[in-house]
Amino acid sequence: MPRFEFKLPDIGEGVAEAEIVEWHVAVGDRVEEDQLVASAMTDKATVDLETPRAGIITEVGGKVGDILPIGSVLVVIETDEDQASSAGQGMEEPAVAARPSGQSDKPPLDSEDASEATVQSETVGTFGERREGQVLASPAVRKRAKQLGIELSAVPAPDGQIHHADLDAFLLGGRAARPDLPAEERADRQFPVQGMRRQIALRMAELKRHIPHFTYVEEIDVTELERLRSVLNGREESAPKLTLLPFLVLAMCRALGDFPMMNAHYDDDSGIVTQYGAVHAGIATQTDKGLMVPVIRDAHQMNIWQLSGAISHVAAGARAGRLRKDELSGSTISISSLGKLGGIASTPIINRPEVAILAPNRIAERPVWVADRFEPRKIMNLSISCDHRIIDGHDPASFIQAVREMFETPALLFA
């Protein structure tokens, strides 16, 4: 039988290698032309790899987690073609066999669209277009379902894609496939750090290695701010509800006018600090694939309602993999928020080359001595981490005090 080597194609400019994050076939499987055989992740995107030939898989080029150079053999196929028609087999196939996950078939994209598509694929992961009979789920969800013994095809997916929450709902519905889970499932286990988690791990290690962080935490009375938020949210039921986060972005933008060093990048290779006039706020967002930081550009020009809408847009887009390239890069300062899970204090890691990051913590009602008696007040801690190479402790402390003043006297936010 003719033998065809499907090689890892050129995925994009400057990409020299890719990590195999999922195999969709195994040795012995029959594949048809354009069938998905593997998903691979680079430092820029995750792409689906589709075979240009039909036949039987006789070899695969590695295991999940392996990093393969561009041009290395991905799979070997015994094709159905006769010798005459298979002339040239083993030659490198065109790069169209690889495409970013989540991207549809032709027409070809222009350069701008292609750039956008690449970025979208960073968040989409391996959730490509749903084909007939195909279940859409990230590698992490697939792995967890496999460990739980759940058939993904049996799990309802309201938006067409299965998430961890869908697995949880399926389990709570009393239809867990393995009610007699054996004891060894609770035993120690090892697993490789792969895909997006590997990228996050490398990035976090780089940030901590380069930046001498220091963190400052202040307690803020947000009773009046919460009262204002309640009034605004009660004015029009059809309007989106304001959370605390847009108020924090608004206060941050106002305070940065007096502390431009906090809204800056530090290029430690050249020794240059760039202070920015515009505020492009990074909003750390938890997704099924891990932590992402979508960006609200020109946040300083937005009012509270525009900020609320922009935060909802980028957070939903990050989770669904629908953001453009400019919505995933270019932040000048970031906020890391866990909402109601915010704890009592944080030590957020700076998003290099930025030099500062804020983290609001959970609001709690506590008795506070006011004048001559205790009063129930809503109290929140606000944490900030800074790059101690170029920022001394005085600036972030003064910056947080400015935010505190606006939060405790909310009229100042709009003065």
Side-chain angles (χ1 to χ4, degrees), residues 268-280:
D268 49 12
D269 292 328
S270 63
I272 300 295
V273 174
T274 302
Q275 293 181 356
Y276 292 93
V279 179
H280 304 314

Side-chain angles (χ1 to χ4, degrees), residues 231-415:
V231 170
L232 292 175
N233 284 335
R235 290 184 63 190
E236 188 173 349
E237 292 187 357
S238 60
K241 301 302 181 186
L242 293 170
T243 65
L244 181 78
L245 196 51
F247 289 95
L248 179 56
V249 178
L250 183 64
M252 178 183 76
C253 292
R254 297 292 302 271
L256 284 174
D258 294 327
F259 302 95
M261 185 60 86
M262 314 292 290
N263 188 46
H265 285 182
Y266 177 37
D267 183 341
D268 49 12
D269 292 328
S270 63
I272 300 295
V273 174
T274 302
Q275 293 181 356
Y276 292 93
V279 179
H280 304 314
I283 306 295
T285 304
Q286 190 67 37
T287 73
D288 280 348
K289 297 187 67 182
L291 186 65
M292 300 186 67
V293 188
V295 180
I296 300 174
R297 306 191 72 83
D298 297 312
H300 63 294
Q301 296 179 341
M302 298 182 183
N303 62 34
I304 193 70
W305 297 103
Q306 291 170 328
L307 286 170
S308 178
I311 291 169
S312 297
H313 167 75
V314 297
R319 295 186 179 108
R322 296 195 303 263
L323 294 181
R324 305 187 308 269
K325 182 177 181 180
D326 64 339
E327 294 175 315
L328 284 167
S329 62
S331 57
T332 55
I333 187 171
S334 293
I335 294 176
S336 177
S337 173
L338 289 172
K340 295 180 179 178
L341 301 176
I344 59 174
S346 307
T347 57
I349 296 176
I350 299 166
N351 188 23
R352 186 174 179 246
E354 297 166 31
V355 297
I357 182 171
L358 284 82
N361 301 115
R362 185 180 58 244
I363 296 174
E365 191 167 69
R366 299 207 301 262
V368 176
W369 188 259
V370 178
D372 58 350
R373 61 190 178 90
F374 280 106
E375 290 185 6
R377 306 292 292 182
K378 296 183 184 299
I379 305 298
M380 180 193 79
N381 288 346
L382 181 61
S383 305
I384 184 170
S385 292
C386 293
D387 187 335
H388 216 338
R389 293 174 297 182
I390 61 169
I391 296 179
D392 298 325
H394 181 272
D395 276 358
S398 301
F399 173 83
I400 291 297
Q401 293 306 322
V403 173
R404 176 185 181 182
E405 184 180 18
M406 285 183 272
F407 269 21
E408 296 188 345
T409 309
L412 295 176
L413 283 168
F414 308 97

Side-chain angles (χ1 to χ4, degrees), residues 1-69:
M1 295 285 285
R3 184 174 183 271
F4 170 69
E5 292 182 347
F6 175 34
K7 298 179 180 179
L8 185 62
D10 185 2
I11 294 172
E13 183 178 355
V15 174
E17 59 188 17
E19 176 188 346
I20 301 298
V21 294
E22 187 173 10
W23 283 108
H24 301 281
V25 296
V27 172
D29 286 354
R30 176 173 178 78
V31 294
E32 303 300 331
E33 185 176 334
D34 296 331
Q35 180 175 335
L36 181 65
V37 296
S39 297
M41 172 176 282
T42 71
D43 59 348
K44 297 181 179 179
T46 299
V47 296
D48 289 340
L49 300 163
E50 300 171 350
T51 173
R53 301 289 178 85
I56 304 297
I57 301 289
T58 59
E59 297 177 28
V60 295
K63 59 182 183 299
V64 170
D66 284 355
I67 297 176
L68 304 182

Side-chain angles (χ1 to χ4, degrees), residues 107-117:
L109 303 172
D110 60 30
S111 57
E112 182 177 350
D113 290 340
S115 176
E116 178 179 328

Side-chain angles (χ1 to χ4, degrees), residues 38 40 58 66 69 79 92 99 166 212 219 227 230 272 294 355 364:
T58 59
D66 284 355
T79 70
E92 190 169 343
R99 69 185 187 195
D166 297 319
E219 182 180 88
R227 187 170 294 140
S230 177
I272 300 295
V355 297

Side-chain angles (χ1 to χ4, degrees), residues 96-303:
V96 295
R99 69 185 187 195
S101 293
Q103 300 304 304
S104 61
D105 288 330
K106 299 75 178 178
L109 303 172
D110 60 30
S111 57
E112 182 177 350
D113 290 340
S115 176
E116 178 179 328
T118 298
V119 174
Q120 286 177 333
S121 70
E122 290 176 343
T123 61
V124 170
T126 58
F127 318 142
E129 265 188 5
R130 187 164 194 154
R131 302 172 178 82
E132 186 176 358
Q134 184 182 11
V135 176
L136 300 185
S138 69
V141 170
R142 290 179 182 278
K143 181 178 292 185
R144 184 174 173 225
K146 184 177 181 180
Q147 291 166 347
L148 293 170
I150 296 175
E151 287 292 336
L152 284 177
S153 58
V155 178
D159 64 354
Q161 174 183 309
I162 299 174
H163 305 277
H164 285 292
D166 297 319
L167 291 181
D168 294 339
F170 183 82
L171 290 172
L172 291 174
R175 293 188 290 170
R178 299 177 62 180
D180 56 343
L181 202 63
E184 56 266 28
E185 289 294 334
R186 293 180 178 273
D188 295 345
R189 65 190 183 98
Q190 292 183 317
F191 54 89
V193 176
Q194 298 169 340
M196 182 63 117
R197 178 47 57 186
R198 189 208 296 263
Q199 297 299 323
I200 292 174
L202 294 173
R203 173 76 172 158
M204 290 299 176
E206 177 195 13
L207 298 178
K208 289 295 287 184
R209 185 167 56 250
H210 278 83
I211 302 175
H213 289 64
F214 78 95
T215 300
Y216 173 86
V217 184
E218 176 60 293
E219 182 180 88
I220 299 177
D221 186 336
V222 294
T223 306
E224 298 305 321
L225 181 66
E226 284 294 276
R227 187 170 294 140
L228 171 64
R229 190 166 70 89
S230 177
V231 170
L232 292 175
N233 284 335
R235 290 184 63 190
E236 188 173 349
E237 292 187 357
S238 60
K241 301 302 181 186
L242 293 170
T243 65
L244 181 78
L245 196 51
F247 289 95
L248 179 56
V249 178
L250 183 64
M252 178 183 76
C253 292
R254 297 292 302 271
L256 284 174
D258 294 327
F259 302 95
M261 185 60 86
M262 314 292 290
N263 188 46
H265 285 182
Y266 177 37
D267 183 341
D268 49 12
D269 292 328
S270 63
I272 300 295
V273 174
T274 302
Q275 293 181 356
Y276 292 93
V279 179
H280 304 314
I283 306 295
T285 304
Q286 190 67 37
T287 73
D288 280 348
K289 297 187 67 182
L291 186 65
M292 300 186 67
V293 188
V295 180
I296 300 174
R297 306 191 72 83
D298 297 312
H300 63 294
Q301 296 179 341
M302 298 182 183
N303 62 34

